[in-house]
Amino acid sequence: MKRNKTVSAVPQVLPALPYEQSALAPVISANTIGFHYGKHHKGYVDNLNKLAAGTEFEELTLEEVIAATAGKADKAAIFNNASQAWNHAFYWRSLALAARR
Ligand SMILES: [Fe+2]
């Protein structure tokens, strides 16, 4: 699936956290959530966009980038950043129910 290029010149967007950064405290502190979201997750998205700019990966979804680069040593940097971006988004979503309690 192609992304709509009129929405943004940069294909991958950091998704919003599905809850407040303090929603999982005291089990996971707001500081820890903020670090993994604002540093790690944002960094992986930003790095992926830099690496994918001007390549065949620029207009692909995150899942498509991962599938297209898996097992390709020359695409390891793109794969690693895309995979980590996906992993972080999955992790945030997986804790959404706990955050509501
Ligand atoms: Fe992280």
Side-chain angles (χ1 to χ4, degrees):
M1 175 191 335
K2 296 285 183 185
R3 292 180 161 263
N4 183 347
K5 292 294 286 179
T6 62
V7 172
S8 170
V10 179
Q12 303 299 332
V13 176
L14 179 67
L17 260 182
Y19 36 77
E20 295 295 320
Q21 291 186 15
S22 61
L24 298 167
V27 177
I28 305 175
S29 72
N31 189 46
T32 296
I33 295 289
F35 185 79
H36 285 272
Y37 179 71
K39 300 266 186 195
H40 288 182
H41 196 172
K42 182 180 185 315
Y44 292 128
V45 171
D46 290 347
N47 286 336
L48 174 58
N49 284 327
K50 287 178 193 165
L51 292 165
T55 74
E56 69 268 35
F57 306 109
E58 188 175 45
E59 296 186 21
L60 302 181
T61 66
L62 195 54
E63 290 82 0
E64 289 170 334
V65 172
I66 293 166
T69 56
K72 297 179 179 171
D74 61 326
K75 306 296 186 210
I78 291 177
F79 174 80
N80 288 338
N81 281 282
S83 297
Q84 287 289 12
W86 191 94
N87 286 341
H88 278 73
F90 176 78
Y91 182 76
W92 305 135
R93 289 192 310 272
S94 72
L95 294 174
L97 183 61
R100 283 188 255 150
R101 293 184 180 161

